Amino acid sequence: MPGTPPQTRDEAQREFAATLSGFTAGDKPEYADYSRCIHCGLCLNACPTYRLWHNEADSPRGRVRQMLLIDQGRMELGEGFVTHIDRCLDCRACETACPSGVEYGKLVEQARTQIEKNYKRPFASRAIRNFVYRRLLVEPQRVARMARIVRFYQRSGLESLARGTGILRLLGLQERAALLPRIDGDFFYSRLGKTFPARGERRARVAFFAGCIAQVTFTALNDATIRVLRANGCEVVVPDGQVCCGALAAHAGVRDVARALARKNVQVFLREPFDAIITNAAGCGSTLKEYTHLLEEDEPQDHRPSVTNDKHGDAFPAEMATEFVKKTRDVTEFLAEMGLSAPLRETKLRVTYQDSCHLLHGQKIREAPRQLIRAVPGVEFVEMPLADHCCGSAGVYNVTETAASMELLEGKMQHARSTGAAAIVTANPGCILQLRAGARMHGTGQEVMHVVELLDRATVRGD
Ligand code: SF4
Ligand code: SF4
């Protein structure tokens, strides 16, 4: 009760510690979580940033330690901490390596939320972050408008002009420009609200989560996903009103926006009964499966940011998030569980696989995509060395920390080349963009595709 004096010594100590802490209440790294770290260092070699720089402060153990020091008031939440936390890819390889169960992804996202609340970034950075996380991603219409502008730039000759005149190099934007996704001629939005019947006997009725940026850059992948699901006996519904999953906002520490998006998606996807909610983006899937955790804390109703057409005036029952999470499946997980029923034609191709961090470390799914690749007759599957190490994409990391991202990509492409594979297959649109840029920059000549695009190519549909 506010104003009630502490009843026990423990309570008094906690109250005193809270007065020193550099963190504030709500979305805060908790002692119970970071105290699980036993400082063994088994995560160090799994951490891409530690492998790059061999700096303890850029390792998982070092970052957890800095959180503890700030929470105890022994370190300032200042530029140094922000730099080390910004440099983390949130790839969660350290979680897989950790024998002590440190939930590093949860901790780093909470640390970023504390930075968002208690640290003033430079003006330009604040302006860009506010635009991207609080305006652009919450409103599909804005994503579409922005995509049309980029498409005009890409197709009007302006892009070639910028490249040809060397202006991008002059501005230091050459690498970032190479990562810019190709905007689709036909956006995915027109499929929203539609139902696609199963081919042959219906085995399941599923809802498809289409993503936000993916609806303007990965229409072909989304269409391929629907075709593969239908060919394998699924009726596919694409619910209208769905919004961005909130992953980019949550990873950036903008958790109030991530929560508003989560509430909207839960309401939209539970409007009708579905056997599963399917995503083809491992980064989105990882966040969708953590909606219960994300929605554990919530803003008071009058402080909630509004998301497209939804003021979220209603109280939000926690059981709905649990129900949503129970149904959410990555498309590879779902197809491997259900088993492929559509016949597959011989497809002669030497293929390697890059684990998406948020599928492997976030969702603990390793075998399903490999099993599906191996199911295609004619495919020669070859494992890539260090396939479980991040390619450097990591949401917007390749834009915000371009130099580190490019270093990681260079190493990744060396390993990809060493397999002699003609195609690199992965399970996340962000990784696809990064690896395609890598194949171009390093001249490996390899095709990059999603697991479902390989299945789509091989599936005999009879139409
Ligand atoms: S999430 Fe990735 S980059 Fe960040 S500390 Fe863990 S292993 Fe390192
Ligand atoms: S492996 Fe886990 S317990 Fe060991 S140092 Fe890393 S985070 Fe701490």
Side-chain angles (χ1 to χ4, degrees):
M1 218 197 292
T4 311
Q7 303 295 306
T8 63
R9 202 179 145 167
D10 266 12
E11 269 181 35
Q13 275 175 346
R14 271 202 300 274
E15 258 187 36
F16 179 64
T19 62
L20 299 177
S21 177
F23 296 144
T24 49
D27 289 313
K28 169 182 169 301
E30 294 294 345
Y31 182 77
D33 292 326
Y34 56 65
S35 65
R36 279 199 216 147
C37 177
I38 51 169
H39 320 297
C40 64
L42 288 174
C43 54
L44 299 190
N45 205 35
C47 173
T49 57
Y50 183 77
R51 287 167 68 97
L52 279 183
W53 304 312
H54 301 285
N55 178 8
E56 176 72 14
D58 286 312
S59 76
R61 182 174 66 182
R63 291 182 175 118
V64 171
R65 173 86 184 147
Q66 290 166 76
M67 291 175 207
L68 172 130
L69 292 176
I70 290 179
D71 201 13
Q72 293 178 341
R74 293 157 64 197
M75 183 176 150
E76 189 201 355
L77 196 167
E79 197 184 338
F81 178 66
V82 174
T83 302
H84 298 303
I85 295 295
D86 279 356
R87 280 187 195 154
C88 168
L89 294 130
D90 197 1
C91 68
R92 296 166 68 172
C94 46
E95 263 187 49
T96 301
C98 179
S100 192
V102 172
E103 292 176 87
Y104 183 85
K106 177 174 154 187
L107 283 169
V108 80
E109 287 181 16
Q110 287 170 334
R112 286 179 173 166
T113 311
Q114 290 295 321
I115 291 171
E116 180 73 4
K117 289 197 289 187
N118 300 315
Y119 178 78
K120 199 165 181 186
R121 290 178 186 273
F123 175 77
S125 164
R126 266 184 290 139
I128 293 170
R129 288 171 62 89
N130 277 338
F131 172 70
V132 172
Y133 300 122
R134 297 193 178 277
R135 289 190 58 76
L136 182 67
L137 294 176
V138 299
E139 174 57 84
Q141 296 301 328
R142 288 189 195 127
V143 173
R145 274 201 295 275
M146 179 61 90
R148 283 190 202 103
I149 295 169
V150 177
R151 187 168 62 191
F152 176 76
Y153 164 76
Q154 290 176 335
R155 299 185 183 195
S156 63
L158 279 173
E159 187 181 37
S160 316
L161 193 71
R163 274 212 206 104
T165 55
I167 192 154
L168 293 173
R169 189 190 297 270
L170 210 64
L171 295 171
L173 294 173
Q174 198 184 16
E175 278 162 341
R176 285 191 185 122
L179 295 165
L180 195 66
R182 193 88 199 140
I183 303 296
D184 295 328
D186 169 30
F187 295 160
F188 189 78
Y189 299 119
S190 57
R191 284 72 158 173
L192 292 171
K194 289 194 176 156
T195 297
F196 299 86
R199 297 205 174 273
E201 192 190 336
R202 190 175 95 172
R203 299 165 73 203
R205 183 168 188 268
V206 303
F208 179 59
F209 180 80
C212 56
I213 309 290
Q215 296 206 48
V216 296
T217 55
F218 280 100
T219 300
L221 167 59
N222 281 354
D223 284 342
T225 307
I226 292 174
R227 279 195 298 272
V228 168
L229 287 166
R230 292 178 69 195
N232 286 284
C234 298
E235 180 179 290
V236 184
V237 179
V238 189
D240 198 6
Q242 57 178 290
V243 288
C244 166
C245 65
L248 290 174
H251 296 168
V254 189
R255 274 171 95 79
D256 57 336
V257 168
R259 269 194 279 271
L261 294 165
R263 280 192 300 270
K264 172 81 174 167
N265 279 327
V266 171
Q267 286 161 354
V268 165
F269 280 88
L270 296 188
R271 271 194 312 236
E272 291 179 53
F274 295 112
D275 297 309
I277 298 163
I278 305 289
T279 174
N280 58 20
C284 304
S286 179
T287 294
L288 295 172
K289 287 181 177 179
E290 286 170 2
Y291 271 5
T292 38
H293 165 56
L294 184 65
L295 291 165
E296 262 166 21
E297 298 206 29
D298 213 347
E299 288 70 37
Q301 286 187 23
D302 48 352
H303 283 90
R304 291 175 181 177
S306 75
V307 167
T308 179
N309 303 326
D310 193 287
K311 298 295 174 208
H312 298 294
D314 302 335
F316 189 81
E319 316 82 72
M320 284 176 74
T322 309
E323 175 73 7
F324 179 95
V325 169
K326 240 177 21 201
K327 289 190 171 177
T328 301
R329 294 279 183 286
D330 182 79
V331 64
T332 62
E333 176 187 22
F334 180 76
L335 288 170
E337 261 171 29
M338 192 172 75
L340 297 174
S341 56
L344 295 168
R345 68 171 72 86
E346 176 99 353
T347 306
K348 287 240 169 279
L349 197 63
R350 187 174 167 97
V351 163
T352 191
Y353 177 71
Q354 161 64 19
D355 285 290
S356 153
C357 298
H358 282 90
L359 195 63
L360 179 64
H361 306 302
Q363 301 178 55
K364 311 294 176 215
I365 296 173
R366 187 183 186 281
E367 281 314 310
R370 288 172 168 81
Q371 186 184 321
L372 295 173
I373 294 168
R374 287 199 184 97
V376 179
V379 159
E380 184 193 349
F381 179 64
V382 45
E383 279 287 358
M384 188 193 308
L386 304 184
D388 56 348
H389 282 207
C390 184
C391 63
S393 167
V396 293
Y397 192 88
N398 50 9
V399 179
T400 57
E401 303 287 337
T402 309
S405 167
M406 291 301 106
E407 262 192 82
L408 293 171
L409 182 59
E410 189 181 350
K412 181 58 62 186
M413 297 319 296
Q414 278 168 13
H415 291 308
R417 192 198 294 272
S418 76
T419 62
I424 309 168
V425 175
T426 187
N428 186 45
C431 309
I432 293 176
L433 290 177
Q434 177 87 343
L435 294 167
R436 278 186 187 152
R440 278 197 306 274
M441 288 171 180
H442 298 279
T444 70
Q446 288 162 309
E447 187 182 3
V448 181
M449 66 178 106
H450 194 287
V451 179
V452 287
E453 288 177 312
L454 176 65
L455 291 176
D456 185 48
R457 193 179 288 186
T459 298
V460 181
R461 282 187 297 273
D463 57 10

